[in-house]
Amino acid sequence: MRNATFDLLSTLLALGAVPATYKPTPVGPPMHRESPAQGLTRTGNLLLMGPHNITYFPKVAELSDPACHVEPYSAPPIGSQEFPPYDEKIATIFRYRQQRSINLGSWFVHENWMTPSVFNCAAGEGIAEIDIANGWGSKENARANDFLFLSTIGINTVRLPIGYWNLGPEFCQGTPFADVSEVYQNSWSRIVRAINMAGRYGLGVLVDLHGAANLFSDAGNQDKTINVLTYLTRQLLHVNNVVGIEILNEPQYVDGLEGFYSRALDEMRGVDTDATQFPLYLHNGFDMDRFSQFLGQRNDFSVQDHHSYFVYTDADRGLSAVEHVKNVADLVSSAIHQASDQVRRNMIIGEFCCALTPDSMIDFCSGQVDTYGDRTAGWHFWGYLKEDCDQDPGWCFKSAIATVLPANFASHYAKPSRTWFNGTHSNANQSDRQEAHPLFLALVDLPLHRRDDSSGQPVDASSHGYTDGKITAQIFASHNDSKLGFVNQYISDSMQNLINLGALLAESKGQYSDGFWRGLYEP
């Protein structure tokens, strides 16, 4: 039998469209690059749309230029940054629901092609975070109003790329950031603030370790990265609106990657007994088949992240919008559906964009949103903001809204005046909260968190599952029009809880699951 991914790639090649094996970066002359996952050679043509018309990196100013002179400084502290009290039920909504998300790219991990002006006084080659830190320090660019805006158009999650350096000077020692570690003295408190700002407006946060040391060039780097990941787990495990941690971003596949992932999963879950059910995300190294098999063997809340980018050649200018949309709706959808099924739908599209020729962009972009939302537990557009955003809807979400993307992504969404601090209504006393908070409207516990069984004896499993499915759908819907996304993981975890309570027999799991699905989707 022929490999399904090979068939997919062959067809895409025939169309002149190639799934990118990395986030596209504006480059100079076309080059050849080998795909580590499929072993196919492709021509790295310039993108037709964004980062469009950037065919070279901006010239880096000489550090002796007066414009690049800044007085030594430390980022000012921003006061005490603490997370709200942990509420397991609220955290469940954030972590198991379907994700409609954007990436906050080039905020804590700067990228030249997105914010080139920040690199004007960078050192060295001027292409990475370390060059800025060695030049004139780091900047931040997101505000509470951005989270408010996203919440009002139906976005319910953000993916937050960070680097190990953002954890502070201690984590910079023995790395290329050691000499500039003081730049990041107050970086972690700003990450905490960002997570809390998102939570205030009902947004979950997927914390993505976007910048990590090269794991396989130095054995010590793996230990350093594990130290970073276990620290993040301890800090974020009991934060209501943190939907999970992504272990690595876009690692190239090499022998030993699965071994590192297995070690990371074990050590992160060993931090606390509650970490056994904490969502942990793994980028698949652009080898969807391999990692579907790898994660398909696990039962814990581990999630495959696939990044869906397409670099279009000049030949694609001749393709109609219908042909582009058909590609996503048929070939791409089929491959993602197959992979998602293997991992029990524990899969997201952690990055995608709408970069395409302008006349095809609308159908292509909305087609991706529909396909990824239908086939996986969520999608995350890259990215929210960039320089020249208005001219680049292919890569800039704020420009894409109501142009090549819908104006909103939910039929009903929270009004701007209803602000939720990690799920708790702000500026309200306890009695007001019990009246206003959507989760207080549900008198029955979610089956995942039920702590006793009123009957004391197992009941008809199918009816039990049906009732729990309906209750779950109603509770999720009451929280900013959410719906269950990681359905199979949720059912599995709920059944184990009910079996432990004596409310479900192990041999009745099939009937319970079938009933749950009916109740979940019945109008």
Side-chain angles (χ1 to χ4, degrees):
M1 179 181 294
R2 295 185 65 185
N3 181 279
T5 298
F6 180 83
D7 287 340
L8 169 65
L9 289 169
S10 299
T11 306
L12 292 175
L13 285 168
L15 291 171
V18 182
T21 58
Y22 64 103
K23 186 185 297 94
T25 300
V27 295
M31 64 182 66
H32 291 281
R33 176 168 174 156
E34 188 75 6
S35 161
Q38 285 85 15
L40 297 174
T41 301
R42 64 173 179 78
T43 301
N45 293 282
L46 297 178
L47 299 180
L48 303 182
M49 289 294 294
H52 66 296
N53 299 329
I54 304 177
T55 56
Y56 56 89
F57 289 121
K59 181 175 176 59
V60 179
E62 293 293 333
L63 294 183
S64 59
D65 188 325
C68 292
H69 175 73
V70 291
E71 294 297 327
Y73 74 99
S74 296
I78 56 175
S80 175
Q81 295 294 312
E82 297 181 356
F83 293 118
Y86 181 61
D87 186 314
E88 189 177 21
K89 294 187 181 69
I90 295 174
T92 294
I93 302 293
F94 279 109
R95 294 172 182 180
Y96 285 86
R97 72 181 174 185
Q98 184 82 17
Q99 297 171 4
R100 304 184 297 266
S101 174
I102 55 93
N103 281 273
L104 299 179
S106 209
W107 182 3
F108 289 103
V109 181
H110 292 291
E111 300 197 24
N112 183 300
W113 69 273
M114 294 186 73
T115 51
S117 66
V118 178
F119 288 79
N120 285 345
C121 293
E125 296 182 359
I127 60 175
E129 174 85 18
I130 187 67
D131 298 325
I132 301 175
N134 277 306
W136 63 359
S138 194
K139 294 186 176 182
E140 55 182 323
N141 63 2
R143 297 291 184 267
N145 281 344
D146 293 309
F147 294 114
L148 171 60
F149 165 71
L150 292 170
S151 70
T152 62
I153 62 170
I155 296 299
N156 64 19
T157 309
V158 294
R159 183 169 177 258
L160 182 63
I162 67 170
Y164 64 83
W165 50 86
N166 293 127
L167 276 57
E170 174 187 348
F171 292 89
C172 295
Q173 304 312 307
T175 77
F177 284 82
D179 292 340
V180 293
S181 61
E182 69 278 2
V183 172
Y184 301 96
Q185 181 66 47
N186 295 301
S187 183
W188 177 250
S189 62
R190 283 166 165 77
I191 291 174
V192 173
R193 181 178 66 176
I195 294 171
N196 282 338
M197 279 196 298
R200 180 177 181 83
Y201 299 103
L203 299 176
V205 179
L206 173 57
V207 177
D208 157 42
L209 186 58
H210 212 76
N214 190 322
L215 297 177
F216 302 102
S217 65
D218 180 346
N221 286 343
Q222 294 196 22
D223 294 334
K224 293 173 184 175
T225 302
I226 292 294
N227 187 38
V228 168
L229 291 167
T230 52
Y231 176 85
L232 289 173
T233 305
R234 285 192 292 271
Q235 296 298 313
L236 303 175
L237 172 63
H238 294 122
V239 179
N240 295 328
N241 69 312
V242 171
V243 305
I245 296 171
E246 181 144 6
I247 295 174
L248 293 173
N249 177 69
E250 296 186 351
Q252 288 191 350
Y253 181 79
V254 296
D255 290 339
L257 183 57
E258 293 104 318
F260 173 79
Y261 272 146
S262 294
R263 177 189 172 190
L265 288 167
D266 290 344
E267 298 213 24
M268 294 170 77
R269 297 211 182 282
V271 163
D272 187 288
T273 54
D274 289 347
T276 57
Q277 289 186 320
F278 188 55
L280 298 176
Y281 291 66
L282 292 75
H283 185 269
N284 58 20
F286 295 101
D287 195 334
M288 197 160 55
D289 286 351
R290 183 189 297 270
F291 273 83
S292 296
Q293 295 174 31
F294 170 62
L295 290 178
Q297 300 171 14
R298 302 186 64 96
N299 295 316
D300 60 335
F301 203 160
S302 53
V303 182
Q304 177 174 199
D305 175 18
H306 179 69
H307 294 180
S308 190
Y309 286 117
F310 297 89
V311 179
Y312 287 90
T313 67
D314 291 340
D316 289 300
R317 295 182 186 274
L319 293 181
S320 68
V322 172
E323 289 171 310
H324 283 303
V325 173
K326 187 176 186 299
N327 173 35
V328 171
D330 295 343
L331 298 170
V332 175
S333 176
S334 177
I336 290 175
H337 191 188
Q338 179 180 336
S340 186
D341 280 352
Q342 279 189 269
V343 295
R344 300 172 296 120
R345 210 172 185 268
N346 280 10
M347 183 170 177
I348 64 164
I349 304 300
E351 293 184 18
F352 81 101
C353 71
C354 297
L356 196 60
T357 52
D359 61 339
S360 303
M361 194 183 293
I362 295 177
D363 291 334
F364 178 71
C365 203
S366 60
Q368 288 189 90
V369 168
D370 292 342
T371 294
Y372 303 151
D374 182 52
R375 298 307 192 191
T376 75
W379 48 259
H380 301 244
F381 185 97
W382 186 285
Y384 176 54
L385 283 174
K386 65 182 290 291
E387 293 181 16
D388 297 321
C389 177
D390 291 344
Q391 282 74 50
D392 201 354
W395 287 96
C396 188
F397 183 81
K398 203 161 186 181
S399 176
I401 290 297
T403 56
V404 299
L405 282 172
N408 68 72
F409 296 88
S411 56
H412 303 284
Y413 49 88
K415 297 179 181 179
S417 60
R418 292 177 67 87
T419 57
W420 304 94
F421 192 59
N422 282 3
T424 302
H425 192 271
S426 63
N427 301 320
N429 59 38
Q430 185 61 35
S431 61
D432 290 337
R433 289 176 181 175
Q434 290 187 356
E435 179 180 354
H437 194 293
L439 292 185
F440 284 117
L441 300 178
L443 301 179
V444 182
D445 284 341
L446 290 164
L448 182 61
H449 303 302
R450 208 162 289 152
R451 294 295 178 254
D452 55 51
D453 175 57
S454 57
S455 68
Q457 297 293 329
V459 297
D460 175 67
S462 181
S463 299
H464 196 174
Y466 176 83
T467 301
D468 285 347
K470 287 194 72 69
I471 290 171
T472 297
Q474 292 165 358
I475 293 176
F476 271 70
S478 73
H479 190 85
N480 295 339
D481 199 39
S482 299
K483 72 174 185 176
L484 189 60
F486 294 95
V487 182
N488 289 313
Q489 186 69 50
Y490 182 90
I491 294 174
S492 176
D493 293 344
S494 296
M495 288 192 299
Q496 188 57 56
N497 180 53
L498 296 173
I499 289 171
N500 293 342
L501 291 174
L504 180 69
L505 298 174
E507 57 266 29
S508 300
K509 290 195 295 184
Q511 296 96 306
Y512 178 92
S513 179
D514 290 343
F516 190 101
W517 277 95
R518 291 198 308 275
L520 185 67
Y521 288 109
E522 183 178 275

